[in-house]
Amino acid sequence: MVRLQKSPNEIYSGIEAGGTKFICAVGTNPQDLIIKRIETTTPQKTIEEVIKFFKSYTNIDAKKRIASLGIASFGPLDLNKKSPKHGYITKTPKPGWSNVNLAGKLSDALGIPVAIDTDVNGAALGEQEWGVAKGLDTFIYITLGTGIGGGGVINGGLMHGLVHPEMGHIRIPLDKDDIQDFKGSCRFHKCVAGYGCWEGLASGKAMQLRWGKPPEKILKNDKDYHRAWELEANYIALGVYNLICTLSPQRIILGGGIMGHPGLLEKVQGKVEKLLGGYISALDSPVKFRRYIVRPALVNKKSDVALSGVLGAIVLAKCMRND
Amino acid sequence: MVRLQKSPNEIYSGIEAGGTKFICAVGTNPQDLIIKRIETTTPQKTIEEVIKFFKSYTNIDAKKRIASLGIASFGPLDLNKKSPKHGYITKTPKPGWSNVNLAGKLSDALGIPVAIDTDVNGAALGEQEWGVAKGLDTFIYITLGTGIGGGGVINGGLMHGLVHPEMGHIRIPLDKDDIQDFKGSCRFHKCVAGYGCWEGLASGKAMQLRWGKPPEKILKNDKDYHRAWELEANYIALGVYNLICTLSPQRIILGGGIMGHPGLLEKVQGKVEKLLGGYISALDSPVKFRRYIVRPALVNKKSDVALSGVLGAIVLAKCMRND
């Protein structure tokens, strides 16, 4: 993807803009990266902090100029380059953040060109450049955390189309072992008539609502432990299965906090295999599923912080110079 | 898509290979097309008939040479160009047709290069070249007939990835108004625990199984009429909704015999709008849905025969010259 030869005095900046934190970075690759974590509060305060960080970098190392900024952001976003609202966060459930001109404000304040895409498309780009999607031209990256989102690369290009995918909102059936009157956590797509959206049934927010505690607190000595994680694996597998049938990806990367639960990935691999029922002959053994449904590779080993998104933002920043 | 300038003495051949019929054509575009319908029987007999037709054409008009053949076929297919079984129909439920070297046999017998893709990818190509997908680079074509299949173009390229999509097999919930112990018609994905696959619940075969008669026989004076078509619209809408969330296509083309039912398309448009619940701001009015979910344009007006597939096969034949 990266076509630009870095000039020795140029460096890039990237942001993974999330609902709870903005991961900001200056650098060129996973081995050359200065990272700053900023809490997501109000748009004004958060954006001010971001600007302060990037400006302070310029002051430290005046020899290296930040050439551009890439943003991998939560959404929905307006990504239509012809739209007057290109680079805006549009109608987000996150209070205060609807209709915020994220790309424009940062470009104006920093005086550099800005490229923006979804957090999950960004993470996919990062994994394609340095991680588990090297050499692939059709794959997806799913994040399973507070919410569920999906993006990826198809035929070598990021997934956009009409707007950008909203994979977390596909409708899936309420599991027979779930609480049968569970309404789900999505305010757009309530679980009724036996089905809800993927995010509404399987996100961290859904788990919090269903079990009265967040996924990281549902531990081995908990009475709900077995049922909670079996159900979660069922829902993740069903969503992943649907994405396989729809897109025929060469690989599926499952990131996000929920996937940190020990044994969950392996459970999901097994359940997806069972759901396919041998229908896709290219996936005819458990070994193939272990290579097919995988974790992201770009993680800070010490802090366990996921870096796919912010590294993808760096790739966005590098690539835009060729637009 | 078509990059080749036709030489005045070159013409192309195409086949839409279906489970009940092979539509064969010689020509260059919708206005210049000789069509022959051949019943699908055994592979040997069907392929012999196809060869006979294309050879007879060469005899009629010796001045024009058939340069290549495109095939838009039912599947699953092996489309991996590096595979020794490229161009084979692989493990199909259609008796006798598994492991048939469709592309290779025709190429050998006719002495011309052959390009092959899925029937739905072919139909998408035809509609992109001459129909309702002109100028789009990300859209899908769904056929709703005896089975359900989907394909399309993403970022300007046909959908392939690991193999090719199997959109008919996404899992969707059993409708609360359906027969609650209905097992569906798909032998790979039985409807259990409240959900089945799209094809198993909503194909012509599923309707036949559920109501004891095929869709075209469920008419206004039938006692099941209202329930059958309301249910069918629900299932189609739910599947289309999931494809929108996953792919964010710029347009969705719904073809196949079932979509010929009067009023069904309009019902589906309304139900998809309701399922989205205003989540995608680019689709904020009923008018937009009427332009978004559409019928194919390439239909023989006199005979009502769908031509998207065979015309897409002609496009495949034209394009392969540049491979």
Side-chain angles (χ1 to χ4, degrees), chain A residues 173, chain B residues 169-174 189-192 194-198 200-201:
Chain B
H169 296 276
I170 56 169
R171 294 303 219 291
I172 56 169
L174 185 76
H189 311 117
K190 279 238 172 312
C191 183
V192 284
Y195 64 94
C197 77
W198 197 17
L201 291 173

Side-chain angles (χ1 to χ4, degrees), chain A residues 125-317:
Chain A
L125 264 189
E127 291 292 332
Q128 189 188 39
E129 191 64 22
W130 295 293
V132 290
K134 268 186 205 164
L136 304 184
D137 71 1
T138 296
F139 65 94
I140 51 175
Y141 182 102
I142 312 295
T143 181
L144 297 125
T146 314
I148 296 180
V153 170
I154 309 283
N155 288 325
L158 287 170
M159 293 186 77
H160 289 142
L162 184 71
V163 193
H164 53 70
E166 286 289 350
M167 297 185 196
H169 296 275
I170 56 168
R171 295 302 220 289
I172 56 169
L174 185 75
D175 196 285
K176 65 176 175 24
D177 291 330
D178 203 343
I179 298 157
Q180 291 301 298
D181 61 354
F182 185 58
K183 292 283 168 284
S185 66
C186 177
R187 68 187 188 102
F188 288 96
H189 312 118
K190 280 239 171 312
C191 183
V192 284
Y195 63 94
C197 77
W198 197 17
E199 175 168 303
L201 291 173
S203 64
K205 212 171 148 189
M207 291 183 85
Q208 166 82 51
L209 198 65
R210 188 188 285 112
W211 308 111
K213 55 198 138 188
E216 65 274 17
K217 293 270 170 70
I218 305 171
L219 299 169
K220 269 210 168 142
N221 54 0
D222 198 299
K223 68 173 173 43
D224 297 320
Y225 179 81
H226 184 76
R227 188 177 167 202
W229 288 108
E230 198 63 26
L231 194 60
E232 186 62 16
N234 284 351
Y235 280 134
I236 297 173
L238 200 57
V240 166
Y241 165 88
N242 277 358
L243 300 179
I244 294 171
C245 290
T246 306
L247 291 159
S248 186
Q250 294 153 342
R251 186 160 289 159
I252 295 132
I253 309 167
L254 299 183
I258 288 178
M259 290 311 301
H261 184 77
L264 182 60
L265 179 67
E266 294 71 17
K267 247 194 219 286
V268 169
Q269 289 162 337
K271 285 175 191 280
V272 172
E273 185 177 5
K274 212 169 150 190
L275 281 166
L276 277 165
Y279 196 69
I280 296 178
S281 38
L283 294 169
D284 57 3
S285 76
V287 176
K288 289 187 183 164
F289 278 91
R290 288 201 287 276
R291 287 183 204 143
Y292 189 56
I293 303 172
V294 301
R295 287 180 214 287
L298 305 177
V299 177
N300 184 318
K301 295 282 186 286
K302 277 185 212 161
S303 64
D304 207 37
V305 169
L307 297 178
S308 320
V310 73
L311 279 164
I314 295 281
V315 178
L316 282 173

Side-chain angles (χ1 to χ4, degrees), chain B:
Chain B
M1 284 298 294
V2 181
R3 292 169 207 94
L4 183 77
Q5 195 59 36
K6 184 173 80 82
S7 121
N9 291 325
E10 284 199 345
I11 200 160
Y12 306 97
S13 56
I15 305 171
E16 184 188 350
T20 56
K21 60 186 184 291
F22 274 45
I23 309 270
C24 303
V26 177
T28 54
N29 66 62
Q31 279 71 48
D32 163 30
L33 212 61
I34 297 165
I35 291 181
K36 165 89 178 168
R37 179 196 160 114
I38 290 165
E39 298 306 308
T40 311
T41 54
T42 64
Q44 202 191 334
K45 213 176 139 198
T46 314
I47 291 171
E48 262 172 29
E49 287 283 311
V50 168
I51 293 166
K52 210 170 96 186
F53 166 67
F54 287 126
K55 286 203 168 161
S56 74
Y57 171 81
T58 317
N59 295 340
I60 293 168
D61 191 346
K63 271 188 235 156
K64 291 204 175 163
R65 198 181 72 84
I66 295 178
S68 52
L69 168 67
I71 308 174
S73 178
F74 72 98
L77 303 172
D78 186 339
L79 298 180
N80 175 1
K81 287 189 179 166
K82 290 176 193 159
S83 161
K85 296 215 164 177
H86 176 256
Y88 277 61
I89 296 172
T90 58
K91 204 164 56 179
T92 174
K94 187 161 177 68
W97 282 83
S98 285
N99 210 28
V100 166
N101 182 9
L102 187 59
K105 281 187 181 164
L106 287 167
S107 182
D108 289 350
L110 298 168
I112 51 175
V114 172
I116 187 166
D117 215 304
T118 62
D119 43 8
V120 276
N121 271 352
L125 264 190
E127 290 293 331
Q128 189 188 39
E129 190 65 22
W130 295 293
V132 290
K134 268 186 204 165
L136 304 184
D137 71 0
T138 296
F139 66 94
I140 51 174
Y141 182 102
I142 312 295
T143 181
L144 297 125
T146 313
I148 296 180
V153 169
I154 309 284
N155 288 324
L158 286 170
M159 293 186 77
H160 289 141
L162 184 71
V163 193
H164 54 70
E166 286 290 350
M167 298 186 196
H169 296 276
I170 56 169
R171 294 303 219 291
I172 56 169
L174 185 76
D175 197 285
K176 65 176 175 25
D177 292 330
D178 203 343
I179 298 157
Q180 291 302 296
D181 61 354
F182 185 58
K183 293 284 169 285
S185 66
C186 177
R187 67 188 191 104
F188 288 96
H189 311 117
K190 279 238 172 312
C191 183
V192 284
Y195 64 94
C197 77
W198 197 17
E199 175 167 302
L201 291 173
S203 64
K205 212 170 148 189
M207 291 183 85
Q208 164 82 52
L209 198 64
R210 188 189 287 111
W211 308 112
K213 55 197 139 189
E216 65 274 17
K217 293 270 170 70
I218 306 172
L219 299 170
K220 270 208 168 143
N221 54 359
D222 198 299
K223 68 173 172 41
D224 297 320
Y225 180 82
H226 185 76
R227 188 177 167 203
W229 287 108
E230 197 64 24
L231 195 60
E232 186 62 16
N234 284 351
Y235 281 134
I236 297 173
L238 200 57
V240 166
Y241 165 89
N242 276 358
L243 301 178
I244 293 172
C245 290
T246 305
L247 292 159
S248 187
Q250 294 154 341
R251 186 160 290 159
I252 296 131
I253 308 167
L254 299 182
I258 288 179
M259 290 312 300
H261 184 76
L264 182 61
L265 178 68
E266 293 71 19
K267 248 193 215 278
V268 169
Q269 289 163 337
K271 284 176 191 280
V272 172
E273 185 176 5
K274 212 169 151 191
L275 281 166
L276 277 165
Y279 196 69
I280 296 177
S281 37
L283 295 170
D284 58 3
S285 75
V287 175
K288 289 187 183 165
F289 278 91
R290 287 201 288 276
R291 287 183 204 142
Y292 189 55
I293 303 171
V294 300
R295 287 179 214 287
L298 305 178
V299 176
N300 183 318
K301 296 282 186 287
K302 276 183 214 162
S303 64
D304 208 38
V305 169
L307 297 178
S308 319
V310 73
L311 280 163
I314 295 281
V315 178
L316 282 172
K318 286 189 186 187
C319 287
M320 77 167 313
R321 304 293 308 279
N322 293 320
D323 272 4

